[in-house]
Amino acid sequence: MANNTIYETEFNFPGQKDVYKGKVRSVYTLENDRLVMIATDRLSAFDVVMPKGIPYKGQILNQIATQMMASTEDIVPNWLTATPDPNVAVGVACEPFKIEMVIRGYLSGHAAREYKLGKRMLCGVAMPDGMKENDKFPSPIITPATKAEMGDHDEDISKEDILSKGIVSAEDYALLEKYTYALFQRGTEIAADRGLILVDTKYEFGKTKDGEIVLIDEIHTPDSSRYFYSEGYQERQDANEPQKQLSKEFVRQWLIANDFQGLEGQTVPEMSDEYIESVSERYIELYEHITGEPFVKADTTHIHDRINRNVLNYLESL
């Protein structure tokens, strides 16, 4: 395959104090409370990082998140200050909350799997009887998850447990809830303009050293969100057909079909170059649908050098 990917990151920026490597991002903490977040081409599914990178995936996620941050900053403050490279976001260092705010407008994915097992409570929230997979909830529900370290699984947690364990204060949690509903509403409106339904998503928040709560990480990307095509949605529901969706669910389904769900003893199936190319093409399709713009491929000939040069030029310009 001609395309180079960025899988591992071994940068050393001026004033670097710390490096954190998540499932798909590497985060460099610099002096002056500055963070450099590099969106790699790593692909994670079932909380497992796949052994090969997906061309342009990091660029796609970074550029969607950047665009979505810009289109929500009037309702929720965020950490972002610059994007000096297609794969890089620079912003304010925050103390992340140790939970993810998952919000669901529809009975899909994890919620649908739990529902099929007969459960009617998810993270302390009641789900109505008589629903079928991909039905719309009467109103969106927040089902938080604890943030796992790389290699571990995120776990469902209720609001009551978050508060009783002191993971987040009641005052802060109230604001996280308010922001989550507001962001989901805006994301739903943006998606509708593109002929899409924002089914579910997750938001992550942090606190600046001044005590301000801000949106961090990515937002409304196909890795953090599930989208359906709105055209034909109701017809498919009425006919009990699966929904046409824009998310990385297609990767999960391929893995399930190849006997992998991240369970102990299972091995990741071999991904051929052809399959990786097809995943890359699907991500480009996702980008174009979600943003309403054509995707412009960055030059990946020397991707590590390009990122290093662009970040250094940005830091020198400050």
Side-chain angles (χ1 to χ4, degrees):
M1 184 177 299
N3 291 319
N4 294 317
T5 59
I6 180 155
Y7 192 86
E8 292 298 342
T9 57
E10 301 299 337
F11 296 104
N12 197 341
F13 300 121
Q16 188 167 306
K17 289 161 57 175
D18 190 36
V19 184
Y20 166 77
K21 294 187 178 175
K23 295 187 189 94
V24 297
R25 281 180 187 68
S26 298
V27 183
Y28 291 78
T29 305
L30 312 187
E31 293 166 346
N32 302 322
D33 297 308
R34 191 169 284 119
L35 275 192
V36 176
M37 184 186 285
I38 297 170
T40 72
D41 296 321
R42 295 195 293 266
L43 174 66
S44 160
F46 298 114
D47 290 322
V48 175
V49 177
M50 302 294 118
K52 291 181 183 175
I54 306 299
Y56 305 108
K57 176 178 174 286
Q59 179 189 347
I60 286 164
L61 295 195
N62 191 52
Q63 291 185 334
I64 292 174
T66 300
Q67 192 182 105
M68 292 293 179
M69 291 258 180
S71 58
T72 56
E73 64 189 1
D74 60 315
I75 52 171
V76 177
N78 64 59
W79 75 288
L80 190 65
T81 53
T83 49
D85 180 273
N87 286 65
V88 179
V90 179
V92 182
C94 302
E95 182 64 39
F97 287 99
K98 290 184 167 44
I99 55 165
E100 295 176 344
M101 297 297 280
V102 181
I103 182 165
R104 305 173 184 278
Y106 293 74
L107 181 66
S108 297
H110 173 61
R113 290 190 282 273
E114 294 290 286
Y115 199 90
K116 278 181 183 159
L117 295 172
K119 297 179 185 176
R120 293 297 177 266
M121 294 287 283
L122 186 63
C123 303
V125 181
M127 298 185 287
D129 276 322
M131 292 184 75
K132 63 184 181 188
E133 186 169 359
N134 301 329
D135 275 354
K136 187 176 184 178
F137 284 119
S139 57
I141 62 171
I142 292 177
T143 58
T146 57
K147 271 186 67 60
E149 294 299 315
M150 190 165 175
D152 291 334
H153 291 273
D154 298 338
E155 300 286 346
D156 289 345
I157 189 169
S158 68
K159 172 182 176 176
E160 292 70 27
D161 277 352
I162 290 168
L163 297 179
S164 68
K165 291 177 179 175
I167 299 170
V168 180
S169 73
E171 182 187 3
D172 285 350
Y173 193 85
L175 191 54
L176 297 186
E177 269 190 336
K178 180 187 164 191
Y179 281 167
T180 298
Y181 284 123
L183 288 166
F184 191 69
Q185 177 60 34
R186 178 65 59 84
T188 298
E189 292 161 7
I190 293 169
D193 287 344
R194 314 265 195 264
L196 299 172
I197 293 168
L198 180 57
V199 177
D200 52 42
T201 191
K202 64 173 185 180
Y203 303 114
E204 297 187 38
F205 297 92
K207 201 177 257 195
T208 67
K209 67 171 187 197
D210 300 328
E212 183 185 26
I213 292 177
V214 297
L215 177 66
I216 61 172
D217 202 49
E218 64 182 8
I219 162 180
H220 298 158
T221 71
D223 269 24
S224 66
S225 318
R226 193 187 317 267
Y227 291 92
F228 291 157
Y229 288 89
S230 40
E231 188 182 340
Y233 163 79
Q234 199 52 55
E235 291 78 354
R236 284 188 283 273
Q237 279 305 93
D238 293 343
N240 292 318
E241 291 171 4
Q243 285 300 330
K244 207 177 157 197
Q245 55 176 292
L246 274 178
S247 73
K248 64 174 181 181
E249 185 65 25
F250 70 94
V251 176
R252 292 190 198 99
Q253 294 302 333
W254 181 83
L255 290 168
I256 290 169
N258 285 276
D259 302 318
F260 183 81
Q261 291 187 65
L263 303 175
E264 206 152 327
Q266 294 182 334
T267 53
V268 178
E270 176 66 28
M271 289 185 170
S272 67
D273 285 353
E274 290 75 21
Y275 181 71
I276 285 173
E277 193 65 49
S278 74
V279 175
S280 182
E281 284 164 8
R282 284 292 291 273
Y283 267 94
I284 290 170
E285 180 195 344
L286 296 176
Y287 175 93
E288 295 184 339
H289 277 286
I290 291 167
T291 64
E293 297 170 0
F295 179 66
V296 180
K297 294 177 177 179
D299 182 359
T300 59
T301 318
H302 302 288
I303 189 166
H304 291 80
D305 293 344
R306 186 201 79 202
I307 289 172
N308 195 53
R309 185 176 62 249
N310 285 337
V311 173
L312 290 179
N313 286 345
Y314 169 74
L315 293 174
E316 282 168 12
S317 73
L318 295 173

